[in-house]
mmCIF file of all heavy atoms in Angstrom:
data_model
loop_
_atom_site.group_PDB
_atom_site.id
_atom_site.type_symbol
_atom_site.label_atom_id
_atom_site.label_comp_id
_atom_site.label_asym_id
_atom_site.label_seq_id
_atom_site.Cartn_x
_atom_site.Cartn_y
_atom_site.Cartn_z
ATOM 1 N N ALA A 172 30.405 -7.183 23.996
ATOM 2 C CA ALA A 172 31.748 -7.482 24.509
ATOM 3 C C ALA A 172 32.489 -8.480 23.622
ATOM 4 O O ALA A 172 33.676 -8.347 23.379
ATOM 5 C CB ALA A 172 31.666 -8.007 25.938
ATOM 6 N N SER A 173 31.770 -9.479 23.107
ATOM 7 C CA SER A 173 32.463 -10.478 22.296
ATOM 8 C C SER A 173 32.528 -10.080 20.817
ATOM 9 O O SER A 173 32.748 -10.912 19.961
ATOM 10 C CB SER A 173 31.821 -11.850 22.479
ATOM 11 O OG SER A 173 30.428 -11.734 22.386
ATOM 12 N N ASN A 174 32.330 -8.786 20.586
ATOM 13 C CA ASN A 174 32.539 -8.215 19.263
ATOM 14 C C ASN A 174 31.662 -8.803 18.153
ATOM 15 O O ASN A 174 32.160 -9.153 17.078
ATOM 16 C CB ASN A 174 34.023 -8.382 18.895
ATOM 17 C CG ASN A 174 34.454 -7.341 17.893
ATOM 18 O OD1 ASN A 174 33.723 -6.369 17.659
ATOM 19 N ND2 ASN A 174 35.593 -7.538 17.283
ATOM 20 N N PRO A 175 30.360 -8.935 18.418
ATOM 21 C CA PRO A 175 29.489 -9.494 17.373
ATOM 22 C C PRO A 175 29.270 -8.469 16.258
ATOM 23 O O PRO A 175 29.411 -7.275 16.489
ATOM 24 C CB PRO A 175 28.183 -9.736 18.128
ATOM 25 C CG PRO A 175 28.160 -8.673 19.166
ATOM 26 C CD PRO A 175 29.591 -8.477 19.581
ATOM 27 N N LYS A 176 28.919 -8.973 15.099
ATOM 28 C CA LYS A 176 28.614 -8.068 13.981
ATOM 29 C C LYS A 176 27.122 -7.737 13.961
ATOM 30 O O LYS A 176 26.677 -6.847 13.259
ATOM 31 C CB LYS A 176 28.979 -8.738 12.651
ATOM 32 C CG LYS A 176 30.460 -8.977 12.478
ATOM 33 C CD LYS A 176 31.127 -7.712 11.944
ATOM 34 C CE LYS A 176 32.626 -7.877 11.797
ATOM 35 N NZ LYS A 176 33.329 -8.088 13.070
ATOM 36 N N ILE A 177 26.370 -8.568 14.720
ATOM 37 C CA ILE A 177 24.913 -8.437 14.680
ATOM 38 C C ILE A 177 24.380 -8.281 16.100
ATOM 39 O O ILE A 177 24.820 -8.984 17.015
ATOM 40 C CB ILE A 177 24.291 -9.695 14.028
ATOM 41 C CG1 ILE A 177 24.738 -9.777 12.562
ATOM 42 C CG2 ILE A 177 22.762 -9.682 14.126
ATOM 43 C CD1 ILE A 177 24.460 -11.097 11.909
ATOM 44 N N LEU A 178 23.446 -7.359 16.273
ATOM 45 C CA LEU A 178 22.813 -7.189 17.582
ATOM 46 C C LEU A 178 21.306 -7.365 17.423
ATOM 47 O O LEU A 178 20.679 -6.736 16.565
ATOM 48 C CB LEU A 178 23.113 -5.790 18.129
ATOM 49 C CG LEU A 178 22.487 -5.468 19.494
ATOM 50 C CD1 LEU A 178 23.127 -6.301 20.601
ATOM 51 C CD2 LEU A 178 22.619 -3.981 19.821
ATOM 52 N N LEU A 179 20.722 -8.254 18.245
ATOM 53 C CA LEU A 179 19.272 -8.430 18.236
ATOM 54 C C LEU A 179 18.720 -7.688 19.445
ATOM 55 O O LEU A 179 19.222 -7.844 20.556
ATOM 56 C CB LEU A 179 18.915 -9.917 18.334
ATOM 57 C CG LEU A 179 19.602 -10.852 17.330
ATOM 58 C CD1 LEU A 179 19.238 -12.307 17.628
ATOM 59 C CD2 LEU A 179 19.212 -10.485 15.902
ATOM 60 N N SER A 180 17.713 -6.894 19.226
ATOM 61 C CA SER A 180 17.162 -6.106 20.323
ATOM 62 C C SER A 180 15.677 -6.438 20.453
ATOM 63 O O SER A 180 14.884 -6.134 19.576
ATOM 64 C CB SER A 180 17.369 -4.621 19.987
ATOM 65 O OG SER A 180 16.556 -3.817 20.802
ATOM 66 N N ASP A 181 15.334 -7.127 21.557
ATOM 67 C CA ASP A 181 13.947 -7.577 21.718
ATOM 68 C C ASP A 181 13.219 -6.667 22.712
ATOM 69 O O ASP A 181 13.344 -6.842 23.913
ATOM 70 C CB ASP A 181 13.928 -9.032 22.197
ATOM 71 C CG ASP A 181 12.513 -9.624 22.134
ATOM 72 O OD1 ASP A 181 11.559 -8.869 21.883
ATOM 73 O OD2 ASP A 181 12.371 -10.839 22.351
ATOM 74 N N GLU A 182 12.493 -5.706 22.212
ATOM 75 C CA GLU A 182 11.735 -4.760 23.057
ATOM 76 C C GLU A 182 12.643 -4.086 24.079
ATOM 77 O O GLU A 182 12.250 -3.894 25.238
ATOM 78 C CB GLU A 182 10.590 -5.472 23.792
ATOM 79 C CG GLU A 182 9.599 -6.172 22.883
ATOM 80 C CD GLU A 182 8.554 -5.226 22.295
ATOM 81 O OE1 GLU A 182 8.664 -3.995 22.513
ATOM 82 O OE2 GLU A 182 7.638 -5.708 21.607
ATOM 83 N N ALA A 183 13.835 -3.707 23.647
ATOM 84 C CA ALA A 183 14.839 -3.227 24.600
ATOM 85 C C ALA A 183 14.484 -1.874 25.210
ATOM 86 O O ALA A 183 15.088 -1.462 26.193
ATOM 87 C CB ALA A 183 16.204 -3.142 23.926
ATOM 88 N N THR A 184 13.530 -1.169 24.660
ATOM 89 C CA THR A 184 13.200 0.143 25.241
ATOM 90 C C THR A 184 11.807 0.177 25.857
ATOM 91 O O THR A 184 11.396 1.207 26.376
ATOM 92 C CB THR A 184 13.282 1.261 24.170
ATOM 93 O OG1 THR A 184 12.439 0.932 23.081
ATOM 94 C CG2 THR A 184 14.695 1.446 23.681
ATOM 95 N N SER A 185 11.077 -0.953 25.819
ATOM 96 C CA SER A 185 9.681 -0.837 26.242
ATOM 97 C C SER A 185 9.500 -0.719 27.749
ATOM 98 O O SER A 185 8.417 -0.395 28.212
ATOM 99 C CB SER A 185 8.805 -1.922 25.634
ATOM 100 O OG SER A 185 9.413 -3.151 25.760
ATOM 101 N N ALA A 186 10.569 -0.971 28.534
ATOM 102 C CA ALA A 186 10.430 -0.752 29.983
ATOM 103 C C ALA A 186 10.982 0.619 30.396
ATOM 104 O O ALA A 186 11.091 0.910 31.574
ATOM 105 C CB ALA A 186 11.162 -1.854 30.746
ATOM 106 N N LEU A 187 11.335 1.439 29.413
ATOM 107 C CA LEU A 187 12.000 2.711 29.731
ATOM 108 C C LEU A 187 11.068 3.904 29.521
ATOM 109 O O LEU A 187 10.154 3.858 28.705
ATOM 110 C CB LEU A 187 13.227 2.878 28.835
ATOM 111 C CG LEU A 187 14.269 1.756 28.910
ATOM 112 C CD1 LEU A 187 15.410 2.037 27.945
ATOM 113 C CD2 LEU A 187 14.794 1.603 30.329
ATOM 114 N N ASP A 188 11.340 4.996 30.250
ATOM 115 C CA ASP A 188 10.548 6.206 30.040
ATOM 116 C C ASP A 188 10.986 6.857 28.719
ATOM 117 O O ASP A 188 11.997 6.471 28.132
ATOM 118 C CB ASP A 188 10.687 7.150 31.239
ATOM 119 C CG ASP A 188 12.078 7.732 31.377
ATOM 120 O OD1 ASP A 188 12.670 8.128 30.356
ATOM 121 O OD2 ASP A 188 12.581 7.780 32.505
ATOM 122 N N PRO A 189 10.217 7.820 28.217
ATOM 123 C CA PRO A 189 10.506 8.376 26.893
ATOM 124 C C PRO A 189 11.919 8.945 26.738
ATOM 125 O O PRO A 189 12.555 8.760 25.696
ATOM 126 C CB PRO A 189 9.458 9.480 26.730
ATOM 127 C CG PRO A 189 8.333 9.061 27.612
ATOM 128 C CD PRO A 189 8.957 8.352 28.765
ATOM 129 N N ASP A 190 12.436 9.610 27.778
ATOM 130 C CA ASP A 190 13.787 10.171 27.669
ATOM 131 C C ASP A 190 14.833 9.074 27.561
ATOM 132 O O ASP A 190 15.746 9.133 26.736
ATOM 133 C CB ASP A 190 14.112 11.042 28.892
ATOM 134 C CG ASP A 190 13.462 12.413 28.765
ATOM 135 O OD1 ASP A 190 12.851 12.675 27.696
ATOM 136 O OD2 ASP A 190 13.551 13.199 29.729
ATOM 137 N N ALA A 191 14.693 8.060 28.434
ATOM 138 C CA ALA A 191 15.662 6.959 28.420
ATOM 139 C C ALA A 191 15.543 6.192 27.101
ATOM 140 O O ALA A 191 16.545 5.753 26.535
ATOM 141 C CB ALA A 191 15.430 6.033 29.604
ATOM 142 N N THR A 192 14.316 6.050 26.594
ATOM 143 C CA THR A 192 14.112 5.386 25.303
ATOM 144 C C THR A 192 14.872 6.122 24.212
ATOM 145 O O THR A 192 15.619 5.525 23.440
ATOM 146 C CB THR A 192 12.611 5.344 24.945
ATOM 147 O OG1 THR A 192 11.956 4.512 25.898
ATOM 148 C CG2 THR A 192 12.384 4.782 23.551
ATOM 149 N N ALA A 193 14.706 7.435 24.186
ATOM 150 C CA ALA A 193 15.378 8.233 23.161
ATOM 151 C C ALA A 193 16.891 8.083 23.283
ATOM 152 O O ALA A 193 17.590 7.944 22.269
ATOM 153 C CB ALA A 193 14.973 9.696 23.291
ATOM 154 N N ALA A 194 17.397 8.079 24.529
ATOM 155 C CA ALA A 194 18.850 7.977 24.722
ATOM 156 C C ALA A 194 19.371 6.619 24.247
ATOM 157 O O ALA A 194 20.416 6.533 23.600
ATOM 158 C CB ALA A 194 19.202 8.201 26.189
ATOM 159 N N ILE A 195 18.623 5.550 24.560
ATOM 160 C CA ILE A 195 19.067 4.212 24.135
ATOM 161 C C ILE A 195 18.997 4.087 22.605
ATOM 162 O O ILE A 195 19.894 3.542 21.967
ATOM 163 C CB ILE A 195 18.228 3.105 24.820
ATOM 164 C CG1 ILE A 195 18.528 3.052 26.326
ATOM 165 C CG2 ILE A 195 18.476 1.736 24.179
ATOM 166 C CD1 ILE A 195 19.958 2.656 26.687
ATOM 167 N N LEU A 196 17.943 4.624 22.014
ATOM 168 C CA LEU A 196 17.841 4.556 20.548
ATOM 169 C C LEU A 196 18.992 5.327 19.896
ATOM 170 O O LEU A 196 19.572 4.881 18.906
ATOM 171 C CB LEU A 196 16.489 5.094 20.069
ATOM 172 C CG LEU A 196 15.271 4.259 20.471
ATOM 173 C CD1 LEU A 196 13.990 4.884 19.931
ATOM 174 C CD2 LEU A 196 15.402 2.814 19.988
ATOM 175 N N ASN A 197 19.331 6.482 20.485
ATOM 176 C CA ASN A 197 20.477 7.242 19.974
ATOM 177 C C ASN A 197 21.765 6.442 20.064
ATOM 178 O O ASN A 197 22.577 6.439 19.140
ATOM 179 C CB ASN A 197 20.674 8.536 20.777
ATOM 180 C CG ASN A 197 19.802 9.637 20.230
ATOM 181 O OD1 ASN A 197 19.404 9.594 19.072
ATOM 182 N ND2 ASN A 197 19.484 10.603 21.061
ATOM 183 N N LEU A 198 21.917 5.761 21.215
ATOM 184 C CA LEU A 198 23.122 4.952 21.412
ATOM 185 C C LEU A 198 23.189 3.835 20.361
ATOM 186 O O LEU A 198 24.235 3.587 19.759
ATOM 187 C CB LEU A 198 23.129 4.369 22.830
ATOM 188 C CG LEU A 198 24.270 3.406 23.140
ATOM 189 C CD1 LEU A 198 25.622 4.098 23.044
ATOM 190 C CD2 LEU A 198 24.102 2.796 24.534
ATOM 191 N N LEU A 199 22.043 3.182 20.120
ATOM 192 C CA LEU A 199 22.029 2.092 19.128
ATOM 193 C C LEU A 199 22.408 2.624 17.742
ATOM 194 O O LEU A 199 23.169 2.008 17.005
ATOM 195 C CB LEU A 199 20.654 1.412 19.088
ATOM 196 C CG LEU A 199 20.281 0.598 20.333
ATOM 197 C CD1 LEU A 199 18.880 0.012 20.190
ATOM 198 C CD2 LEU A 199 21.296 -0.523 20.582
ATOM 199 N N LYS A 200 21.882 3.785 17.427
ATOM 200 C CA LYS A 200 22.172 4.406 16.130
ATOM 201 C C LYS A 200 23.668 4.715 16.018
ATOM 202 O O LYS A 200 24.298 4.473 14.984
ATOM 203 C CB LYS A 200 21.335 5.693 16.024
ATOM 204 C CG LYS A 200 21.539 6.504 14.796
ATOM 205 C CD LYS A 200 20.473 6.176 13.771
ATOM 206 C CE LYS A 200 20.870 6.750 12.433
ATOM 207 N NZ LYS A 200 20.798 5.843 11.339
ATOM 208 N N GLU A 201 24.212 5.235 17.124
ATOM 209 C CA GLU A 201 25.628 5.580 17.154
ATOM 210 C C GLU A 201 26.495 4.328 16.972
ATOM 211 O O GLU A 201 27.462 4.328 16.206
ATOM 212 C CB GLU A 201 25.896 6.189 18.529
ATOM 213 C CG GLU A 201 27.017 7.171 18.639
ATOM 214 C CD GLU A 201 27.097 7.630 20.092
ATOM 215 O OE1 GLU A 201 26.167 8.351 20.532
ATOM 216 O OE2 GLU A 201 28.065 7.250 20.780
ATOM 217 N N LEU A 202 26.114 3.238 17.673
ATOM 218 C CA LEU A 202 26.880 1.994 17.580
ATOM 219 C C LEU A 202 26.767 1.408 16.178
ATOM 220 O O LEU A 202 27.724 0.873 15.633
ATOM 221 C CB LEU A 202 26.356 0.977 18.601
ATOM 222 C CG LEU A 202 26.549 1.372 20.067
ATOM 223 C CD1 LEU A 202 25.796 0.416 20.977
ATOM 224 C CD2 LEU A 202 28.025 1.398 20.421
ATOM 225 N N ASN A 203 25.590 1.535 15.613
ATOM 226 C CA ASN A 203 25.353 1.075 14.247
ATOM 227 C C ASN A 203 26.324 1.760 13.283
ATOM 228 O O ASN A 203 26.949 1.122 12.435
ATOM 229 C CB ASN A 203 23.890 1.357 13.887
ATOM 230 C CG ASN A 203 23.618 1.372 12.405
ATOM 231 O OD1 ASN A 203 23.457 2.435 11.812
ATOM 232 N ND2 ASN A 203 23.572 0.215 11.805
ATOM 233 N N GLU A 204 26.503 3.063 13.465
ATOM 234 C CA GLU A 204 27.374 3.804 12.555
ATOM 235 C C GLU A 204 28.850 3.564 12.862
ATOM 236 O O GLU A 204 29.648 3.297 11.971
ATOM 237 C CB GLU A 204 27.054 5.301 12.632
ATOM 238 C CG GLU A 204 25.767 5.622 11.889
ATOM 239 C CD GLU A 204 25.176 6.977 12.242
ATOM 240 O OE1 GLU A 204 25.832 7.757 12.955
ATOM 241 O OE2 GLU A 204 24.041 7.257 11.790
ATOM 242 N N LYS A 205 29.191 3.631 14.160
ATOM 243 C CA LYS A 205 30.594 3.539 14.561
ATOM 244 C C LYS A 205 31.151 2.143 14.299
ATOM 245 O O LYS A 205 32.264 1.979 13.823
ATOM 246 C CB LYS A 205 30.681 3.863 16.055
ATOM 247 C CG LYS A 205 31.982 4.539 16.451
ATOM 248 C CD LYS A 205 32.123 4.576 17.960
ATOM 249 C CE LYS A 205 31.739 5.913 18.546
ATOM 250 N NZ LYS A 205 31.869 5.961 20.008
ATOM 251 N N LEU A 206 30.384 1.112 14.645
ATOM 252 C CA LEU A 206 30.894 -0.261 14.556
ATOM 253 C C LEU A 206 30.367 -0.997 13.325
ATOM 254 O O LEU A 206 30.606 -2.179 13.164
ATOM 255 C CB LEU A 206 30.494 -1.059 15.809
ATOM 256 C CG LEU A 206 30.765 -0.431 17.178
ATOM 257 C CD1 LEU A 206 30.197 -1.306 18.287
ATOM 258 C CD2 LEU A 206 32.257 -0.235 17.384
ATOM 259 N N HIS A 207 29.608 -0.301 12.495
ATOM 260 C CA HIS A 207 28.970 -0.929 11.336
ATOM 261 C C HIS A 207 28.167 -2.157 11.791
ATOM 262 O O HIS A 207 28.149 -3.222 11.154
ATOM 263 C CB HIS A 207 30.014 -1.323 10.294
ATOM 264 C CG HIS A 207 29.417 -1.527 8.929
ATOM 265 N ND1 HIS A 207 28.849 -0.514 8.208
ATOM 266 C CD2 HIS A 207 29.290 -2.638 8.167
ATOM 267 C CE1 HIS A 207 28.400 -1.001 7.072
ATOM 268 N NE2 HIS A 207 28.649 -2.292 7.018
ATOM 269 N N LEU A 208 27.504 -1.981 12.919
ATOM 270 C CA LEU A 208 26.754 -3.063 13.539
ATOM 271 C C LEU A 208 25.395 -3.224 12.837
ATOM 272 O O LEU A 208 24.698 -2.244 12.614
ATOM 273 C CB LEU A 208 26.540 -2.674 15.002
ATOM 274 C CG LEU A 208 25.995 -3.671 15.984
ATOM 275 C CD1 LEU A 208 26.998 -4.803 16.203
ATOM 276 C CD2 LEU A 208 25.742 -2.967 17.334
ATOM 277 N N THR A 209 25.055 -4.451 12.503
ATOM 278 C CA THR A 209 23.727 -4.722 11.955
ATOM 279 C C THR A 209 22.777 -4.937 13.131
ATOM 280 O O THR A 209 23.088 -5.700 14.036
ATOM 281 C CB THR A 209 23.757 -6.001 11.093
ATOM 282 O OG1 THR A 209 24.794 -5.869 10.129
ATOM 283 C CG2 THR A 209 22.423 -6.228 10.393
ATOM 284 N N ILE A 210 21.649 -4.254 13.137
ATOM 285 C CA ILE A 210 20.734 -4.380 14.273
ATOM 286 C C ILE A 210 19.363 -4.838 13.797
ATOM 287 O O ILE A 210 18.796 -4.269 12.865
ATOM 288 C CB ILE A 210 20.599 -3.029 15.021
ATOM 289 C CG1 ILE A 210 21.980 -2.545 15.503
ATOM 290 C CG2 ILE A 210 19.632 -3.153 16.197
ATOM 291 C CD1 ILE A 210 21.964 -1.222 16.259
ATOM 292 N N VAL A 211 18.853 -5.896 14.418
ATOM 293 C CA VAL A 211 17.468 -6.289 14.180
ATOM 294 C C VAL A 211 16.709 -5.929 15.448
ATOM 295 O O VAL A 211 17.025 -6.404 16.535
ATOM 296 C CB VAL A 211 17.329 -7.801 13.892
ATOM 297 C CG1 VAL A 211 15.867 -8.166 13.653
ATOM 298 C CG2 VAL A 211 18.178 -8.187 12.691
ATOM 299 N N LEU A 212 15.735 -5.055 15.298
ATOM 300 C CA LEU A 212 15.105 -4.451 16.457
ATOM 301 C C LEU A 212 13.617 -4.775 16.466
ATOM 302 O O LEU A 212 12.898 -4.473 15.524
ATOM 303 C CB LEU A 212 15.355 -2.942 16.333
ATOM 304 C CG LEU A 212 14.873 -2.009 17.408
ATOM 305 C CD1 LEU A 212 15.817 -0.828 17.465
ATOM 306 C CD2 LEU A 212 13.489 -1.503 17.090
ATOM 307 N N ILE A 213 13.191 -5.422 17.535
ATOM 308 C CA ILE A 213 11.786 -5.776 17.661
ATOM 309 C C ILE A 213 11.079 -4.774 18.535
ATOM 310 O O ILE A 213 11.610 -4.368 19.574
ATOM 311 C CB ILE A 213 11.647 -7.109 18.403
ATOM 312 C CG1 ILE A 213 12.241 -8.206 17.580
ATOM 313 C CG2 ILE A 213 10.213 -7.420 18.697
ATOM 314 C CD1 ILE A 213 12.055 -9.500 18.267
ATOM 315 N N THR A 214 9.888 -4.397 18.163
ATOM 316 C CA THR A 214 9.137 -3.462 18.989
ATOM 317 C C THR A 214 7.657 -3.579 18.660
ATOM 318 O O THR A 214 7.288 -4.148 17.639
ATOM 319 C CB THR A 214 9.624 -2.019 18.763
ATOM 320 O OG1 THR A 214 8.873 -1.126 19.573
ATOM 321 C CG2 THR A 214 9.474 -1.601 17.315
#
Side-chain angles (χ1 to χ4, degrees):
S173 46
N174 205 13
K176 294 276 178 296
I177 295 167
L178 179 68
L179 308 175
S180 164
D181 190 351
E182 302 278 6
T184 56
S185 47
L187 303 179
D188 68 43
D190 281 356
T192 294
I195 291 296
L196 293 180
N197 275 337
L198 175 63
L199 291 178
K200 177 97 193 130
E201 207 180 291
L202 295 171
N203 160 256
E204 284 164 8
K205 212 191 260 180
L206 311 175
H207 200 65
L208 190 67
T209 307
I210 302 180
V211 180
L212 182 150
I213 295 182
T214 180

